[in-house]
Amino acid sequence: MLPAIAEVFREHGYEGASLSLIGAATGLGKGSLYHFFPRGKEEMAEAALAEIDGWFEREVYAPLRDAEAPDKAIAAMFDSVDAYFRTGRRACLVGVLALGDARDRFADAIRSYFVRWVAALEAALARAGHAPDDARALAEETVAGVQGAITLARALDDPAVFARAMETMRRRATHGEH
Amino acid sequence: MLPAIAEVFREHGYEGASLSLIGAATGLGKGSLYHFFPRGKEEMAEAALAEIDGWFEREVYAPLRDAEAPDKAIAAMFDSVDAYFRTGRRACLVGVLALGDARDRFADAIRSYFVRWVAALEAALARAGHAPDDARALAEETVAGVQGAITLARALDDPAVFARAMETMRRRATHGEH
DNA sequence: CGTCTCCTGTACCGGTCGGTAAACTTTACC
DNA sequence: GGTAAAGTTTACCGACCGGTACAGGAGACG
């Protein structure tokens, strides 16, 4: 049920995600929703953010930090991210919240998501042979690039834009080493 | 008064921009608002988009297409964009709308904004000596990069992130020529 | 069978939403 | 100064908002 809730917030933003939309997406009435999330909409958004955070920690950040073959982990990240964001058809909930007025309310979760993504990617790039400064800059550029590619692909309604951007960043992260 | 309206949509999104917020931002009551925008909120958003579109057409796209020194126009674009988005402190209304559920309603305006930006930048890059394929890819990457840099800078609440991303893209657009 | 816990449907609350209507004040122009 | 248009205030509409209260239903366990 959390994925359904997350999808509503992703598509409609925090303000636009009404309890009736969430109810329709989950098949739950307001009574049930408030049974599971006594603090209401804010708690639902927190739970959705936490689930997304857990997924990225497990599927993306941890492999980037821990894999014994960092170049493989980096390649796997691009694959995971492309699949997760449906080649740019799906928005990023954290990015959506960062742009709106709910930013302050979820500031810690939003910051943590991006800080840890950049840090994990930076570490993997450094271990793959990039100079420390390059690794830092490249990681930041790549994480921002994913967000920009989502925005542009959705604006143009053209997943190919996302795919091209991802390939350019992948090349930069895997070639240019040493 | 259009800049004030645009600012409300930028900060709160289409759903979150209530008539009372718009009224407070403009100092106008609902009656006055409906006097100028008989079709209501949708017409206000269209007008805000049109004004933004006009600004970019005048200050960014036209110079990129027409300047006799394309490299100067490209450098000027980075300066204009940095100033316009307040070094990443200010969101992009068009990008915000592209991510939300108002995307379909304003699809034409959103698509046109980005299509023309990419096309104008591509033309300038080609005239500045980039190979046609490189110019196209670099233009797309740069426009997406700006959106991503805004998202990341706002998420981390750190304008320096935006500034660094802009410098990287500027270097790529002005060096690497020929 | 009884009962206790977990879950759900329904009705309702005050408030705000986008939008309308019409009486009013201000401004511009002859 | 008269008059008409432009702009504004105020009250109001039905719908929906997030949130609450509560009476049950559904199983699990005795």
Side-chain angles (χ1 to χ4, degrees), chain A residues 164-178:
Chain A
R164 281 197 292 272
M166 289 288 277
E167 280 319 300
T168 300
M169 292 188 287
R170 188 197 289 265
R171 207 176 322 117
R172 221 169 254 147
T174 52
H175 291 26
E177 300 165 21
H178 315 300

Side-chain angles (χ1 to χ4, degrees), chain A residues 18-19 30 34 41:
Chain A
S18 71
L19 291 189
K30 271 205 269 192
Y34 270 85
K41 198 169 150 178

Side-chain angles (χ1 to χ4, degrees), chain A residues 12-52:
Chain A
H12 302 272
Y14 185 72
E15 314 281 335
S18 71
L19 291 189
S20 65
L21 279 173
I22 295 173
T26 55
L28 261 37
K30 271 205 269 192
S32 305
L33 249 15
Y34 270 85
H35 175 75
F36 294 112
F37 307 101
R39 292 208 337 278
K41 198 169 150 178
E42 180 161 7
E43 191 172 355
M44 297 176 206
E46 286 169 7
L49 276 172
E51 214 229 8
I52 290 168

Side-chain angles (χ1 to χ4, degrees), chain A residues 115-137:
Chain A
V115 163
R116 280 154 53 228
W117 191 348
V118 171
L121 181 54
E122 176 188 0
L125 287 167
R127 287 203 298 136
H130 285 85
D133 287 1
D134 293 355
R136 171 78 204 170

